[in-house]
Amino acid sequence: MKVIDLINSSKSTAFSFEILPPLKGNSIQKVYNVIDKLIEFDPKYINITSHHSEYIYKTLPDGSFQKVNIRKRPGSVAIASAIQNKYGITAVPHIICKGFTKDETEYALIDLNFLGVYDLLLLRGDVKTLEAGQKTDIYHEHATDLQQQVNDFNKGIAIDGSVFEANETPFSYGMACYPEKHEEAPNIFYLKEKVKNGADYLVTQMFFDNEKYYAFVDRCRAEGITVPIIPGIKPIVFKNQLTVLPKIFRSDIPEPFATELRKCKTDDEAKAVGVEWCIQQCKDLIAHGVPSLHFYTMMASDSVYKVAKEVY
């Protein structure tokens, strides 16, 4: 069953979450530990983030530096297959533009089809990943370009234009949206394009002010966007996230929440405040009839558990 069907068929607000692949050298048990902790809340699907290779500079014996490309985490393809086979829960790997060539994306789609993983989340990814000098004819520039490749693949058209027998089960996918602000998404023109071209649902960047989410949804509905808009939720777990998260994710923190966080002297105190705010935030979203809540668990799985325990 596709993610959109799982969401629409849920008798109450659906629960889902996103996990981070373990660093290389660590086993998949770290992923399983998070799932085992949260499985009691009946997750309808589990997202797996994708991470590109990264460059480091290695010091050579002569004192010079060598640029080395390293991969810190396993890909989402393998982990999605493992999760789906172990738990029987729909797994949703992230497919991103930045740091992955069009050919690498096609290889991922071929492998996912073979493994029986048919749900995706299509994202642009970190803009800093595409280094100066890399050719945009090799890399997708926007998520809508990546979307076109997936749509073509579903029709049996390869990236080189050759034709193959289309998959019996086409890929379905969701895409991202920003309920607050994003310097490269000043309006919802491209959001409408994403939906028009096949996005089944939208998942928001994390936010802490529900009123901004409601206003965003109203705006989308007024523009004719009718697909589910899933709130992306993350409880704050560190004191410094009061200033770090707004800078990285452009998510405003409401002043009442910020005031309580400023009172915290330790990360443990901040985590408790973050859980309480998140519980109230989720209860309000559920009361407003959101179809699903999607939790970002990176460094926050314990907090997500405490929140889910109160609202599910």
Side-chain angles (χ1 to χ4, degrees), residues 48-63:
I48 306 97
T49 62
S50 288
H51 290 263
H52 54 81
S53 299
E54 298 179 17
Y55 289 101
I56 64 170
Y57 288 89
K58 181 179 180 181
T59 304
L60 300 178
D62 63 1

Side-chain angles (χ1 to χ4, degrees), residues 214-235:
Y214 300 140
F216 174 72
V217 172
D218 288 344
R219 185 180 172 202
C220 288
R221 300 304 184 229
E223 291 287 341
I225 297 174
T226 60
V227 299
I229 300 175
I230 308 303
I233 304 297
K234 184 180 178 73

Side-chain angles (χ1 to χ4, degrees), residues 18-280:
E18 175 184 297
I19 58 171
L20 180 72
L23 288 167
K24 66 181 180 182
N26 292 317
S27 77
I28 198 172
Q29 188 59 46
K30 288 184 175 292
V31 171
Y32 293 159
N33 290 345
V34 174
I35 297 173
D36 291 341
K37 184 186 302 180
L38 299 175
I39 200 168
E40 70 176 85
F41 307 112
D42 186 28
K44 300 305 179 186
Y45 59 94
I46 298 171
N47 280 27
I48 306 97
T49 62
S50 288
H51 290 263
H52 54 81
S53 299
E54 298 179 17
Y55 289 101
I56 64 170
Y57 288 89
K58 181 179 180 181
T59 304
L60 300 178
D62 63 1
S64 63
F65 296 94
Q66 179 184 18
K67 191 176 181 181
V68 180
N69 188 299
I70 63 169
R71 185 173 184 179
K72 291 185 176 181
R73 300 181 188 275
S76 60
V77 172
I79 295 178
S81 177
I83 289 172
Q84 203 156 279
N85 280 285
K86 179 176 175 64
Y87 293 96
I89 298 172
T90 296
V92 184
H94 291 187
I95 305 295
I96 64 176
C97 297
K98 300 307 179 183
F100 293 89
T101 67
K102 297 174 184 178
D103 282 337
E104 288 172 327
T105 295
E106 183 161 278
Y107 297 151
L109 296 177
I110 292 170
D111 288 346
L112 287 166
N113 175 64
F114 180 79
L115 294 166
V117 178
Y118 302 116
D119 283 275
L120 314 171
L121 189 71
L122 306 184
L123 305 165
R124 185 181 187 193
D126 187 353
V127 68
K128 293 181 290 186
T129 303
L130 189 61
E131 294 198 338
Q134 288 184 332
K135 298 180 180 179
T136 54
D137 61 339
I138 297 175
Y139 296 84
H140 289 301
E141 182 66 15
H142 301 288
T144 47
D145 302 322
L146 173 62
Q147 178 182 27
Q148 186 58 55
Q149 181 177 355
V150 174
N151 289 345
D152 286 344
F153 192 91
N154 281 343
K155 297 174 185 175
I157 304 172
I159 195 65
D160 63 1
S162 61
V163 178
F164 60 92
E165 185 176 349
N167 300 344
E168 291 183 9
T169 303
F171 290 107
S172 59
Y173 53 83
M175 299 183 77
C177 60
Y178 302 88
E180 296 185 59
K181 54 185 179 290
H182 189 277
E183 73 275 11
E184 297 196 32
N187 55 55
I188 62 174
F189 172 80
Y190 287 107
L191 197 59
K192 292 171 70 174
E193 289 295 297
K194 291 176 181 179
V195 174
K196 182 179 74 174
N197 293 326
D200 286 330
Y201 60 96
L202 302 168
V203 182
T204 76
Q205 180 58 271
M206 70 177 72
F207 63 90
F208 303 95
D209 186 341
N210 286 0
E211 293 306 317
K212 292 187 176 181
Y213 166 80
Y214 300 140
F216 174 72
V217 172
D218 288 344
R219 185 180 172 202
C220 288
R221 300 304 184 229
E223 291 287 341
I225 297 174
T226 60
V227 299
I229 300 175
I230 308 303
I233 304 297
K234 184 180 178 73
I236 279 182
V237 294
F238 299 114
K239 288 194 304 175
N240 68 355
Q241 288 179 322
L242 174 62
T243 55
V244 170
L245 292 181
K247 290 179 181 178
I248 297 177
F249 298 103
R250 307 169 188 88
S251 300
D252 289 335
I253 297 180
E255 187 54 37
F257 187 20
T259 297
E260 293 304 310
L261 288 171
R262 291 190 196 102
K263 296 177 183 177
C264 297
K265 298 180 180 180
T266 66
D267 284 336
D268 284 342
E269 290 178 359
K271 181 182 289 188
V273 170
V275 166
E276 184 55 36
W277 181 271
C278 194
I279 289 171
Q280 300 309 315

